[in-house]
Structures are given as C-alpha cells and as structure tokens.
Amino acid sequence: MNFKSFLSLVTLLLPLFAQSIVRPNALFSDGMVVQRNSTIPVWGWADPDEKITIETSWGEKAETVALADSSWRVSLKTPDAGGPFQITIAGENRLVINDVLSGEVWLCTGQSNMDFAMEKFLGDAREEKYQPLVEYFRNEVATANDPWLRHIEVPQTTSVYGQKKNFEGNWVSATPADIGKITATGYFFAKELREKLNVPVALVECSWGGTRIQPWLSEKVYQTDEGLKEYFEHSRYEIAEQVATMGDPESYVDTSFQRRFDKWKESGQNTSRPYPIEHPLKNKQIPATLHNAMISAIVPYAIKGVLWYQGESNSHFLENEYEKYFKLLITSWREEWGLGDIPFYWTQLAGYEVPDERSDLGWAMVNDYLRRGLDLPNTGMAVLHDIGEAKDVHPHNKMDAGKRLSLWALKDCYGFDIPVVSGPLYKSSSVAGNKMVIEFLEVGSGLMVGKKELMADALLVDEPLKWFQICGPDGIWKNAEAKIIGTNQVEVFHPEVEHPQAVRYAWSSNPEGANLYNQSGLPAAVFTTQE
C-alpha cells in the first residue's frame, strides 16, 4: 500500500479507532449554541448497528441506528432563543451536553484578518496614530463579559488525501478568561447582533493566516471545470513526486533553509525573505487541503450564514481568476450545507502598503472581484479601504469591520430598517462627451466627500474627490478630476482623455485619502468599469 492510500484509509477509518462509545462531533459539546427555531442535524459515531437516542430538555427526541461505517445522524427541532438547555445522547454509554443555548450561529472563515483573535491586537501599534485603537482593544478585553456570545475554533490543519470529519475544540464565551481567543472581526460583528437582537450569538471559526482561496474549495468543485481539474490534478501529481523524495512529513527538515536565510541577510534583505520549504502534506496552500481538513469537519452544522475575510494572499497568486474561485466557493459551500442561499457576507481588503507593483494592482483586482461577488443572491460586502494601516496588514479597526458586516445581517436577516448597508456601489457608467458619468447604488440620502478618523463617523469635508482614474483607447490610466453631480452620480474626466473608455476608483493596495462616501458615512467600494 502506498503512502497516499494509507493516509486515505486512516482518514476514513479514524472514527472507528476510538473507544466503542457513542460520541458526537466536537461541535456538540458543553457551551454549544444551536441555530434557533430550526431543524438541525446532530451527528457522530458509535458501534455499527448501535441504537442511539437523543433527548433535549426543550422536549425534542430522536432515535437512530449507527451505520456500518459507525456514523449516525438525526434531526432535531430547536426552540426559541434562550437557554441554558441540555442534550442527552445515549447508546451503550450516556453523555450529557450542558449549557446549551439557542440563538444565531455564524461561520467565520478566511485568512489572518479573520484568524487574528482579540489578544493579537493588544500590542502597540506600528504607527502611533493607531494607538487609540489598541487602547480600545485593551479595554474591551479587560471589561467584556458576555456569556451569551460564544465561539469555537477548528484547529488549523491540512489533509491532502481524504476528508476529516471531526476535530478537537471547545466552546468559549466572551468572558474575561476566554475573550482573547475569539476572532476579532467575528467578535465585533457578533457584538452588534447581541446588542440589537438580545439573543445568543455564536461564531464557528475556520480560518488560517496567509491562506489563498484555492485550499478552501472542495475536491468536488475542482472536477466541475476542465481548467480547474487540470490545475488540481497537476498539483496532486507534484505532491506525489515530492512525497516520494521527502518521505515522512513528520521527519522532513529543509536542510537548505539556513543557508538561504544567511545569504538573504548578507545581501541586505532587499529581496523577499526565504522561508523553509514545507512538506506538501503540511502545506496549507494545496488545492482543497483546508476544505478536506477543516470545512469538512463541521459540515452540515446548522448556521445562519457565513462571514469571509480573505484575499490578501491572492493579490499575487492567480489574481486574474479570483472572481471565478470566489463565486464557486460561495455556491459550493451553500450546496454542501444544503440550506439554500444562506447569507454570505465578506469584506473588501483594507488598505495596506504592499512592497511590489504586482501585489499593488492585484490587491485592487481582488477587491473588485469581491465586489462582483454581489451578483450572487443573498450576499453582502463591507468596504474597508479607509480603515487600513499602511504599515500593518492586520489593521486594528476590526470594530468598524464587524459593524459594517453586521449592517447586512441586521437588515437582510433580521428585518431592521437600515437605510443603506454599504458605501456606494458601482452600478453603471455612461459617456458624455469627454467625460464619464458613474452611477452608484447604496447612496441613501446622497453622496459626499468625507473624511474618517479612527472609529469616528466619517464627516463631510470641503475637498476634491481623490483616487478616480480614467483611460482612453490607449489604455493609459490618468489621475482624473471628479465631482459629485447628483444624489447618486459622479462625473469623471481628464483634459488629455478626449474619448474616455473606463474609470476606476481606489485602484491600489493602499488608496489612502480615497474619499467618496454616502451621507451615512460609509465608503465607496473599490471598482473598475472595465469588464
């Protein structure tokens, strides 16, 4: 049996290696939160043919028999928001899940700006002007005490061959002992929901810093398109070759790293820093490997929706294809969960000063492709370019990030009367002589030139619009003059562009000073009119 076949067999049989006791997926443990007023799946493992009984303190009951592969699954109706409740699971053994709440459950996923927990933001800011945000974090962590805001995290792990169906993890609450462990972006989103809904809110986190979008898609998705299939199969071919020479991932060491690192230091550190070559079976960038290891471990836990914060690592990797991957991720996850077009909300990337031109343009491209994801139903996007930090790819203002994401949920999921849920979104363009007129959605009572400082609301300022660019038939972009000419329109022109073809806005990794807002104080999204 080769190494690949062995890994696949171990992954598939792992539930059988446990002791012969009934055990549920790790999500079903003390402190859990179930999606309120729903029919939810409850699943786990036991001996084949073992009878399993599930009872709840809110009066629901279900029975089933474990299948030949040891798996079992039942459906339960959940109560109105509240708790605490109990869930009892019995077979040959009996276990009781305590302190169960019924409320709103959201999946938080992506790379480091979702991955970074509250405690990651307690150190001093790299730039002094952002230090007040650090102080806000320190106070929040020191004073927050909300046992109805809960969180569980799937450990960061990879699986190239085979899907993992369980994980090790525990539910924690936003209390002094554990708040530091909670995703910061997710926390401030959940805090807004807690204040407005007054029901339990839970965050199930699957995220990993530095990851591209490719590992988060399933193997099944890669088989739906010839180009994707070729990319996937080529990656698996390369892995097999590398494993053949590298051997066991646990004993592999990159013996050339120190030599490359010393050479880099001696050269003045003017090039990209070298990192150890990772064994492919531990490489978090391999297509489908994080879906296999992390997403598969929690499907089909009942959730209200998904929050996604990712794209930085794709600013210099297959950036031209991001829209395709992103839309496939949304549609395929929805299909896997089987809950219809569940809400799927995400962020454009915050401003950050990248070191190379490709990443600078790629950052903007990814942001525009994220915007185009709004073509899909029941989606929403928070714009963040105005709350980034040029010197820190992990900006501290997760407070506004969470709040802006929450606007979509509060209006579309929970029926709150919110005039606008986003900053201005590009709708259409038209040519008027040597000018282009851009029309926007999500303008509320109108557009404005605004300026935002830290967490304060953006204020109207008497300044020209910045960061609009225009190009003619030659395709050369020029910094343009722009002015607001109506409730939802901006006119853009440059005296040297007689026949304008396209306009773009905030087209940079760090469009500092981009200042088109709506009068609700939300910034306009990065966009280009080019198809």
Side-chain angles (χ1 to χ4, degrees):
M1 179 181 294
N2 61 34
F3 193 51
K4 173 180 175 180
S5 299
F6 173 74
L7 282 176
S8 298
L9 181 62
V10 169
T11 301
L12 292 171
L13 296 180
L14 189 59
L16 300 177
F17 295 158
Q19 297 178 5
S20 297
I21 59 174
V22 174
R23 62 189 186 97
N25 182 280
L27 291 161
F28 302 95
S29 55
D30 289 351
M32 69 177 295
V33 181
V34 297
Q35 180 61 40
R36 59 173 170 161
N37 298 318
S38 301
T39 299
I40 67 167
V42 180
W43 73 95
W45 299 269
D47 283 342
D49 298 322
E50 185 172 350
K51 182 180 178 181
I52 313 298
T53 301
I54 294 91
E55 296 185 16
T56 72
S57 63
W58 63 83
E60 287 294 311
K61 182 178 180 180
E63 292 183 350
T64 191
V65 174
L67 302 177
D69 66 356
S70 294
S71 67
W72 55 264
R73 176 173 165 176
V74 300
S75 296
L76 291 175
K77 291 183 178 180
T78 58
D80 292 337
F85 302 104
Q86 284 185 336
I87 299 176
T88 301
I89 303 175
E92 294 298 322
N93 61 299
R94 181 176 181 272
L95 61 92
V96 179
I97 303 171
N98 294 302
D99 193 22
V100 178
L101 300 180
S102 183
E104 295 298 300
V105 183
W106 287 82
L107 173 63
C108 298
T109 184
Q111 58 179 108
S112 55
N113 273 302
M114 183 64 81
D115 179 25
F116 267 31
M118 298 287 286
E119 62 191 9
K120 289 278 191 177
F121 294 98
L122 301 182
D124 288 344
R126 295 183 183 181
E127 297 178 76
E128 181 63 29
K129 61 182 176 180
Y130 298 113
Q131 191 61 25
L133 301 176
V134 174
E135 301 305 326
Y136 187 95
F137 262 98
R138 290 171 178 171
N139 181 70
E140 188 74 15
V141 169
T143 60
N145 187 16
D146 187 354
W148 273 23
L149 195 166
R150 298 189 176 178
H151 173 265
I152 190 170
E153 183 174 6
V154 179
Q156 295 168 349
T157 185
T158 63
S159 179
V160 175
Y161 303 119
Q163 294 184 340
K164 296 183 179 181
K165 295 299 183 181
N166 204 358
F167 66 99
E168 293 185 7
N170 299 294
W171 289 91
V172 300
S173 299
T175 53
D178 291 318
I179 186 175
K181 303 172 185 176
I182 299 176
T183 160
T185 298
Y187 170 80
F188 288 108
F189 169 86
K191 184 178 178 182
E192 291 292 322
L193 266 56
R194 285 281 300 119
E195 292 177 354
K196 303 295 192 303
L197 302 175
N198 194 29
V199 303
V201 177
L203 306 172
V204 178
E205 184 187 349
C206 280
S207 59
W208 197 339
T211 54
R212 304 165 186 154
I213 195 171
Q214 283 73 24
W216 293 106
L217 275 74
S218 69
E219 291 189 28
K220 181 180 178 181
V221 170
Y222 282 100
Q223 305 307 313
T224 62
D225 175 276
E226 283 303 313
L228 294 178
K229 183 177 181 181
E230 181 179 354
Y231 169 66
F232 177 82
E233 291 181 348
H234 179 69
S235 77
R236 290 303 190 265
Y237 174 79
E238 287 186 327
I239 290 168
E241 287 196 324
Q242 293 167 1
V243 169
T245 59
M246 293 180 175
D248 182 5
E250 300 304 324
S251 59
Y252 169 75
V253 177
D254 178 8
T255 56
S256 68
F257 166 68
Q258 193 60 49
R259 182 176 68 255
R260 291 183 286 114
F261 184 74
D262 292 342
K263 184 178 180 180
W264 172 73
K265 290 178 65 176
E266 292 170 3
S267 68
Q269 304 180 19
N270 294 321
T271 57
S272 298
R273 173 187 169 177
Y275 289 90
I277 297 172
E278 201 163 24
H279 194 288
L281 298 183
K282 290 189 173 183
N283 187 340
K284 63 187 179 183
Q285 306 294 16
I286 301 298
T289 189
L290 300 186
H291 186 281
N292 281 344
M294 299 172 67
I295 298 298
S296 293
I298 61 171
V299 175
Y301 195 70
I303 57 175
K304 183 68 172 183
V306 181
L307 305 179
W308 173 260
Y309 194 151
Q310 190 277 336
E312 297 93 337
S313 290
N314 280 99
S315 66
H316 46 275
F317 184 83
L318 297 181
E319 58 269 35
N320 290 308
E321 300 180 38
Y322 191 85
E323 180 181 1
K324 177 179 181 178
Y325 279 100
F326 183 51
K327 289 181 176 178
L328 280 171
L329 181 133
I330 295 173
T331 55
S332 64
W333 282 16
R334 284 173 165 174
E335 181 181 348
E336 280 186 88
W337 256 273
L339 296 173
D341 290 337
I342 58 173
F344 202 109
Y345 305 142
W346 61 87
T347 67
Q348 279 192 325
L349 306 180
Y352 171 64
E353 196 173 88
V354 297
D356 63 281
E357 183 179 4
R358 177 182 176 181
S359 294
D360 183 52
L361 297 177
W363 199 278
M365 289 172 62
V366 168
N367 269 336
D368 188 55
Y369 289 143
L370 285 163
R371 178 190 64 84
R372 294 170 191 243
L374 294 171
D375 294 342
L376 297 177
N378 210 12
T379 55
M381 182 182 75
V383 180
L384 305 185
H385 63 74
D386 65 330
I387 57 174
E389 298 178 28
K391 305 302 181 185
D392 197 335
V393 72
H394 306 116
H396 290 78
N397 194 350
K398 297 296 186 284
M399 293 71 77
D400 276 315
K403 184 175 182 178
R404 290 174 183 180
L405 283 168
S406 76
L407 294 176
W408 290 90
L410 290 170
K411 181 176 182 178
D412 292 347
C413 297
Y414 306 115
F416 281 74
D417 183 13
I418 298 176
V420 289
V421 291
S422 169
L425 296 171
Y426 169 69
K427 178 184 179 183
S428 63
S429 63
S430 59
V431 178
N434 66 340
K435 300 173 182 177
M436 287 193 73
V437 177
I438 311 301
E439 187 173 343
F440 294 90
L441 302 169
E442 292 297 324
V443 297
S445 55
L447 300 169
M448 74 174 189
V449 180
K451 186 173 183 179
K452 180 174 172 59
E453 297 289 344
L454 300 177
M455 292 173 60
D457 292 338
L459 299 175
L460 174 69
V461 294
D462 185 16
E463 296 178 2
L465 285 171
K466 302 174 183 178
W467 278 100
F468 278 90
Q469 295 177 305
I470 194 168
C471 75
D474 59 5
I476 298 175
W477 290 97
K478 296 182 180 295
N479 294 331
E481 297 181 40
K483 63 179 180 180
I484 297 169
I485 60 170
T487 302
N488 67 338
Q489 292 181 327
V490 170
E491 181 182 79
V492 185
F493 76 101
H494 188 283
E496 296 178 11
V497 180
E498 296 182 0
H499 303 287
Q501 301 292 305
V503 166
R504 64 188 189 186
Y505 174 70
W507 204 258
S508 169
S509 69
N510 187 40
E512 188 172 1
N515 56 2
L516 178 63
Y517 286 76
N518 57 31
Q519 292 183 22
S520 295
L522 296 171
V526 178
F527 74 90
T528 178
T529 64
Q530 285 183 320
E531 291 301 323

